Amino acid sequence: MAIIEMNNLWKEYGDQVVLERLDAEVQEGEFVTLVGASGCGKTTFLKMLLGTESPSRGELLLDGAPIPDQPDETRGIVFQRYSVLPHLSALENVMLADELHRHKLIGRAFGGKRKALKDAAMAMLESVGLAQAADKYPHQLSGGMQQRLAIAQALMKRPRILLLDEPFGALDPGIRRDMHHLVLDLWRQQGLTIFMVTHDLAEGFYLGTRLWVFDKTRLDPQAPGAYGARITYDLPVGDCDKGTLTAIQAQADATARTMA
Amino acid sequence: MKKLINRHPGPVATWALGLLPFALLLVVYLLASDARLEANPNDKLLPSFSAMGDAIQRMAFEPSKRSGEYLLWADTLASLTRLAIGVGISALMGLIFGIVTGTLPYARAGLSPLITGLSLVPPMAILPILFILFGLGELAKVMLIIIGITPFLIRDLQQRAREIPAEQVIKMQTLGANTWQIILRLVWPQIMPRLISAVRLSLGSAWLFLIAAEAIAATEGLGYRIFLVRRYLSMDVILPYVLWITLLAFAIDFLLARYSRWRYPWFHGSH
């Protein structure tokens, strides 16, 4: 069964149509990257997966059931900023999920249990290359290290799907390449299902197994909100050549200019 | 030549410039006091430093002839106790109501209008009501502080709680947290250093309400003493007392700031 399924999915705010007639299926283990011009609904779509926005019409299914309409542990998230908790050290940030699970009332573990959780968290920190920074607060970490920490924190919960909302948008190009390797490694090792929104079309071509381009197929320059965006390209990554990239980029740019 | 707006004093100059107004004020006082005392040795308005020294000696280091107490210390203890109880209870209420209304939309809808309304009542105007309701004892004075600063603390902390990025609240939910756990592990720890900032800001008002209440109804306390000796024009007592209150206020503020930096390094590191 598909892990994510969309049947005639719409998202509207009043008379502004953001997304219309989305139909797609995603299998477990796929790595989908979402690209498109600003305002073409890719972040809205991610929010629907996360549960902070609900579909206006149609169905969005997680493992065959309607996706919960509030965030929970089935879906992990890494935002561009503010993903980690500033008042906890790196280690405490990663331990948090297990602590919340173990102690419903106080959300904290002590003694021998704490030691066990600590060891598990250290192993996770090691796998993202942050073992030396375990006792540092997020503000003492660089932007790239903070995002590594956010990924580690989200993975502790073993979410059904991992959502990445422009996670590397604020990073330097070199750091960004390191992060790509990290995400690809973790995805392969842990068999994750990932949805990643990115501004960077090239990033979408390089990462993942599947590229979705969100764009408006019908666009009224007098009323840019009258029609919603659809998935105009659904490409297996690896099969697309340089020409496709250029064509998608040109279309996305044209949409962006009309909507601006 | 650099424009004035682009010129910065060095460290020595900064200190010197900062101390200069104090030194000037002191010199002006000395000159004025000398001039008045020369004209009339019994002048009470601008006492000499030696007269103030005598007064301090009398108030702080000699037992009172009437009660046998060391008045300055007895007054200080009485005032600080009231201040601590008043500010402590206010901080606790600010913390609880600030977190609840800042975090839970239903609590905010139910309580925010009431809190806003209460915060607009001038506390000094209801001081008579407090005296009628709670008598002239300790409770009325502490209540004035509480009524005076609690609405501000609640509203400030509610705002601070709402400023916690939505990303972090969502993140907590994706880590499996329920509402109670979000409050306990995210909102409360992040609000604590902000509570200290808010308390520091409200201490000025707290002192104001304390001294006002003591001036009207008390038998000891720093505010009581100042208003008592006013009848005898005892500027030699009033001025050292005012200086002492200022020093206490400064010390409390300094200690709170230090505590916050020591206890919540993450808060001060990222701001």
Side-chain angles (χ1 to χ4, degrees):
Chain A
M1 189 176 59
I3 189 165
I4 288 289
E5 201 181 330
M6 292 172 259
N7 298 320
N8 191 30
L9 180 68
W10 289 66
K11 181 67 193 176
E12 298 148 300
Y13 298 99
D15 58 358
Q16 299 280 311
V17 184
V18 180
L19 293 166
E20 61 178 47
R21 291 177 292 144
L22 300 187
D23 288 289
E25 278 187 1
V26 175
Q27 303 301 321
E28 191 161 356
E30 285 196 80
F31 188 152
V32 186
T33 38
L34 287 63
V35 299
S38 308
C40 276
K42 51 193 194 302
T43 296
T44 305
F45 178 70
L46 202 78
K47 282 182 178 167
M48 285 198 282
L49 286 177
L50 183 58
T52 54
E53 296 279 357
S54 320
S56 308
R57 276 187 259 168
E59 284 184 317
L60 179 59
L61 306 177
L62 171 67
D63 292 320
I67 205 150
D69 62 354
Q70 61 180 354
D72 64 19
E73 57 255 61
T74 55
R75 291 146 293 163
I77 176 81
V78 175
F79 295 104
Q80 188 171 1
R81 298 179 63 199
Y82 303 126
S83 273
V84 291
L85 308 183
H87 64 286
L88 298 178
S89 72
L91 183 64
E92 289 168 328
N93 260 294
V94 179
M95 286 170 68
L96 187 58
D98 285 343
E99 281 194 290
L100 294 171
H101 179 68
R102 283 290 180 80
H103 296 266
K104 281 292 168 216
L105 196 61
I106 52 170
R108 238 175 232 281
F110 299 97
K113 278 182 186 168
R114 188 174 178 83
K115 180 82 180 57
L117 299 190
K118 218 170 183 171
D119 292 343
M122 268 317 282
M124 178 58 81
L125 276 178
E126 250 158 57
S127 70
V128 298
L130 280 182
Q132 301 84 5
D135 294 322
K136 291 196 169 157
Y137 284 108
H139 77 267
Q140 297 168 303
L141 304 176
S142 68
M145 288 164 91
Q146 286 188 25
Q147 290 307 74
R148 284 171 188 265
L149 180 58
I151 293 169
Q153 187 185 40
L155 290 182
M156 285 305 280
K157 211 61 211 179
R158 305 211 159 275
R160 289 292 289 151
I161 55 176
L162 178 63
L163 308 172
L164 308 175
D165 190 0
E166 297 188 28
F168 315 132
L171 304 181
D172 291 335
I175 307 290
R176 199 183 290 202
R177 266 193 300 280
D178 295 346
M179 296 299 292
H180 291 167
H181 288 303
L182 175 72
V183 169
L184 283 174
D185 285 348
L186 290 172
W187 167 66
R188 277 191 209 108
Q189 286 163 14
Q190 310 207 6
L192 304 169
T193 308
I194 299 182
F195 288 83
M196 181 173 90
V197 166
T198 173
H199 255 100
D200 183 355
L201 194 51
E203 195 170 76
F205 266 73
Y206 171 75
L207 283 175
T209 54
R210 196 165 167 189
L211 175 72
W212 285 356
V213 181
F214 281 73
D215 204 350
K216 303 209 176 202
T217 47
R218 296 177 292 175
L219 188 53
D220 182 346
Q222 262 68 47
Y227 301 105
R230 309 195 61 199
I231 299 174
T232 52
Y233 285 87
D234 183 349
L235 303 169
V237 167
D239 285 10
C240 30
D241 51 35
K242 194 84 183 165
T244 323
L245 174 65
T246 319
I248 294 172
Q249 186 72 64
Q251 272 176 28
D253 288 350
T255 308
R257 269 193 290 274
T258 315
M259 289 180 42
Chain B
M1 177 101 160
K2 273 189 168 179
K3 296 184 192 76
L4 191 56
I5 203 169
N6 290 325
R7 291 164 72 182
H8 299 275
V12 180
T14 303
W15 272 94
L17 282 171
L19 287 175
L20 187 65
F22 288 99
L24 277 177
L25 217 60
L26 210 64
V27 168
V28 169
Y29 182 87
L30 275 175
L31 291 177
S33 168
D34 272 356
R36 282 187 73 98
L37 288 170
E38 193 138 347
N40 169 16
N42 291 322
D43 179 63
K44 303 194 88 172
L45 211 58
L46 298 178
S48 67
F49 281 108
S50 64
M52 284 195 254
D54 289 346
I56 295 172
Q57 172 70 26
R58 201 169 64 243
M59 301 303 289
F61 305 112
E62 288 169 15
S64 154
K65 291 193 186 78
R66 227 160 46 101
S67 62
E69 282 182 316
Y70 294 85
L71 289 178
L72 177 70
W73 308 117
D75 288 339
T76 305
L77 184 67
S79 287
L80 286 185
T81 307
R82 289 168 191 146
L83 194 72
I85 296 174
V87 173
I89 292 176
S90 303
L92 192 66
M93 300 221 304
L95 189 66
I96 293 170
F97 283 99
I99 286 179
V100 168
T101 57
T103 312
L104 306 174
Y106 266 96
R108 182 157 64 245
L111 292 174
S112 259
L114 176 68
I115 293 166
T116 306
L118 286 180
S119 74
L120 295 173
V121 177
M124 292 304 294
I126 54 171
L127 187 56
I129 302 178
L130 296 181
F131 282 142
I132 291 168
L133 283 181
F134 303 113
L136 299 178
E138 289 303 298
L139 188 58
K141 294 185 270 289
V142 170
M143 278 305 287
L144 182 67
I145 299 178
I146 294 173
I147 288 174
I149 67 173
T150 302
F152 162 77
L153 287 175
I154 293 178
R155 291 177 75 186
D156 189 66
L157 292 175
Q158 174 187 328
Q159 195 52 37
R160 301 286 94 78
R162 294 187 69 182
E163 280 167 12
I164 292 175
E167 285 90 340
Q168 291 178 19
V169 179
I170 293 170
K171 184 79 187 200
M172 287 295 286
Q173 297 180 63
T174 63
L175 297 180
N178 56 37
T179 302
W180 168 245
Q181 289 178 322
I182 292 174
I183 289 177
L184 202 65
R185 295 293 323 258
L186 173 72
V187 184
W188 179 50
Q190 291 209 22
I191 283 295
M192 279 309 286
R194 293 168 169 94
L195 172 69
I196 293 179
S197 306
V199 164
R200 285 177 63 197
L201 279 178
S202 67
L203 269 173
S205 319
W207 275 105
L208 168 76
F209 295 126
L210 173 70
I211 289 172
E214 286 181 344
I216 295 170
T219 52
E220 56 178 354
L222 296 165
Y224 162 74
R225 193 69 53 197
I226 292 177
F227 277 79
L228 180 75
V229 301
R230 175 190 64 99
R231 296 178 202 161
Y232 318 112
L233 285 182
S234 294
M235 289 289 270
D236 56 339
V237 174
I238 295 178
L239 289 178
Y241 258 68
V242 170
L243 211 63
W244 174 238
I245 293 172
T246 311
L247 205 67
L248 286 175
F250 173 80
I252 294 171
D253 186 65
F254 179 81
L255 288 176
L256 282 175
R258 270 308 177 81
Y259 174 76
S260 184
R261 287 198 159 272
W262 168 76
R263 182 71 183 75
Y264 307 105
W266 56 268
F267 180 72
H268 300 277
S270 55
H271 282 72

